[in-house]
Amino acid sequence: MGTESNIVVETKNLTKIYRDFWGRQKVRALKALDLEIRQGEVFGLLGPNGSGKTTTIKLLLGLLFPTSGEVNILGKPASDVSKNERIGYLPEESYLYRFLNAEETLDFYGRLFNLSGAVRRQRVAQLISMVGLESAKKRQLKEYSKGMTRRIGLAQALINDPDLILLDEPTSGLDPIGTRNMKDLILELKKQGKTVVMSSHLLADVQDVCDRIGILYQGELKELGRVDDLLKLGEETEYRIKGLSESAKEKISKIIAEDHCELVFSGNPTTSLEELFLNIIAESEEHPGKRVRGGGND
């Protein structure tokens, strides 16, 4: 567990029950959640739809009040609105003004944080460059694609240079290229020493960027730990060898049999579909009109 000084998010026995008009229990959205999230890490809340991820983020923000338990953010109770000056938030759906352009949008949110004109101009230019929207900064947001909207939404969440960034389904609705761009931006925030909490039901997104994860199901925390530790198969050993001869393969198979072990897999390693797709796109841009690779059936 982290020391008290580097704990950015702490929940103790956090519970949220939604009730109907008559006060009867309708949904137990979150049950006795205990979490500690440390400074400088990317933490993923993973779970299927309806598992309590968005409820957790809204409780951290103070947008919802817990039925029981405690929430402390940056050393303050979640109900203390002064903490919000140090928080950035990207909701699952960005509710931005469609008739403003990127510069006007970021300037507007900078004014809400009482940033001076000079600071606003600096932050707006910096963030537009960071999210890769220089060529579209004068276009109204109503003309933006979903990927562009998510990027300007992230820039809006960073306008106050927050210490803690909460991202609710940050890659929702994005194509593979937009997803990769969003994940690269999250990793860049980590390099800057920011603490990022992201919720997602997309396993690959969480695996690629998160240091630790908490798996929620039906409002309960089912698993918590480092991604590499949770994915490690303790009873299996993997070797990756290049240029292995057939005779060497036979010797290895013989040794495995003599040691009464089970050969689970033998063959060539594979890349991920995401990596294959992005490589093909990159090669296509370098060589327009040329089919990148052949083989296989369409």
Side-chain angles (χ1 to χ4, degrees):
M1 305 296 279
T3 62
E4 186 174 347
S5 61
N6 73 353
I7 295 175
V8 176
V9 176
E10 182 181 31
T11 71
K12 296 179 180 179
N13 199 36
L14 185 61
T15 299
K16 179 62 180 178
I17 298 173
Y18 292 106
R19 302 184 183 277
D20 63 15
F21 177 78
W22 307 105
R24 297 170 299 192
Q25 179 173 322
K26 186 177 179 182
V27 177
R28 184 184 290 269
L30 202 61
K31 181 180 179 182
L33 178 65
D34 291 323
L35 274 183
E36 285 186 358
I37 300 174
R38 302 155 197 155
Q39 181 180 353
E41 74 172 333
V42 180
F43 185 89
L45 280 173
L46 180 63
N49 292 330
S51 60
K53 305 186 301 298
T54 297
T55 294
T56 300
I57 285 184
K58 288 182 177 180
L59 287 165
L60 299 183
L61 287 166
L63 299 176
L64 291 176
F65 295 101
T67 303
S68 61
E70 298 179 22
V71 189
N72 290 301
I73 307 295
L74 298 163
K76 298 180 179 181
S79 57
D80 186 340
V81 295
S82 66
K83 75 181 190 315
N84 293 340
E85 296 178 0
R86 300 172 60 193
I87 295 177
Y89 173 47
L90 176 66
E92 184 173 1
E93 293 291 336
S94 297
Y95 301 100
L96 302 172
Y97 295 101
R98 300 173 63 247
F99 296 101
L100 297 181
N101 63 35
E103 289 182 323
E104 292 166 341
T105 296
L106 297 182
D107 183 76
F108 169 76
Y109 284 99
R111 289 173 184 270
L112 293 181
F113 282 101
N114 293 319
L115 302 182
S116 68
V119 172
R120 288 201 309 275
R121 286 190 293 273
Q122 179 184 16
R123 290 293 293 162
V124 168
Q126 178 185 16
L127 290 170
I128 287 177
S129 175
M130 177 183 174
V131 299
L133 288 174
E134 295 100 325
S135 61
K137 63 184 180 181
K138 298 294 186 181
R139 290 167 55 186
Q140 291 182 333
L141 300 194
K142 67 178 182 177
E143 300 174 3
Y144 275 21
S145 66
K146 182 64 181 285
M148 296 167 71
T149 301
R150 293 305 277 169
R151 280 188 276 163
I152 194 61
L154 178 61
Q156 166 266 314
L158 301 175
I159 191 65
N160 57 322
D161 194 19
D163 298 309
L164 171 64
I165 301 125
L166 304 176
L167 308 175
D168 194 357
E169 304 284 357
T171 60
S172 174
L174 299 185
D175 62 20
I177 295 176
T179 297
R180 182 69 261 172
N181 290 339
M182 179 61 73
K183 290 190 285 190
D184 288 342
L185 289 170
I186 293 171
L187 293 174
E188 177 61 30
L189 292 172
K190 179 186 174 182
K191 288 181 183 178
Q192 296 175 12
K194 308 293 187 183
T195 303
V196 180
V197 179
M198 61 175 285
S199 74
S200 181
H201 61 276
L202 302 175
L203 308 183
D205 293 354
V206 173
Q207 181 178 340
D208 285 350
V209 301
C210 292
D211 302 302
R212 291 193 303 139
I213 60 172
I215 299 177
L216 291 171
Y217 183 67
Q218 294 182 343
E220 295 188 64
L221 185 64
K222 298 295 185 181
E223 189 60 88
L224 177 68
R226 290 193 59 84
V227 174
D228 49 3
D229 291 337
L230 295 176
L231 295 179
K232 188 180 297 181
L233 301 175
E235 296 182 353
E236 297 183 14
T237 302
E238 180 180 60
Y239 294 92
R240 297 185 66 175
I241 305 171
K242 189 175 181 179
L244 197 64
S245 66
E246 289 300 322
S247 61
K249 292 178 183 178
E250 292 176 3
K251 291 177 183 178
I252 292 172
S253 297
K254 185 177 179 181
I255 293 172
I256 292 172
E258 290 174 351
D259 207 36
H260 305 291
C261 298
E262 178 187 358
L263 180 62
V264 177
F265 171 78
S266 176
N268 299 114
T270 61
T271 185
S272 68
L273 182 59
E274 179 189 60
E275 186 175 355
L276 173 65
F277 179 90
L278 294 174
N279 285 340
I280 288 175
I281 294 298
E283 291 177 37
S284 297
E285 290 178 348
E286 291 180 10
H287 307 285
K290 178 182 176 182
R291 183 166 180 177
V292 175
R293 62 191 71 190
N297 298 319
D298 291 335

